Amino acid sequence: PQRRAVLVGTAAMVTATDTVLVAPRRGGSRVTWDADIRFAAPLRIFDPLFAWLFAASVRAAIANLHRELDRLPRRRFAAG
């Protein structure tokens, strides 16, 4: 069955809500991670800039995660 976790972090001018879904997939699992970052006014005007900066960081994190997961030995599980 699919598993879901919601992580919420708050600071004076920002709230971040991350929703993580993990679902079984043949040969492993599929992970979907959605990050919703909301800035308070007056920072909201800079949302497009923050989104662009954050996207580059996310791409790097995904590449690192793929690299680290690919280093792990493959495990086989019996269906059942």
Side-chain angles (χ1 to χ4, degrees):
Q2 181 169 297
R3 302 287 188 212
R4 178 177 182 255
V6 177
L7 313 167
V8 179
T10 59
M13 298 296 284
V14 66
T15 298
T17 304
D18 290 27
T19 303
V20 183
L21 301 173
V22 181
R25 182 177 177 176
R26 184 179 179 148
S29 298
R30 177 181 175 87
V31 177
T32 304
W33 194 303
D34 179 62
D36 181 28
I37 300 171
R38 304 281 175 141
F39 290 93
L43 291 180
R44 233 178 250 149
I45 194 168
F46 297 109
D47 275 352
L49 174 63
F50 289 134
W52 180 75
L53 293 171
F54 187 66
S57 175
V58 168
R59 282 191 298 274
I62 290 170
N64 288 335
L65 180 60
H66 277 283
R67 185 186 69 242
E68 292 302 316
L69 290 174
D70 285 344
R71 295 167 116 188
L72 296 174
R74 299 270 178 192
R75 293 171 50 184
R76 300 279 182 210
F77 295 96

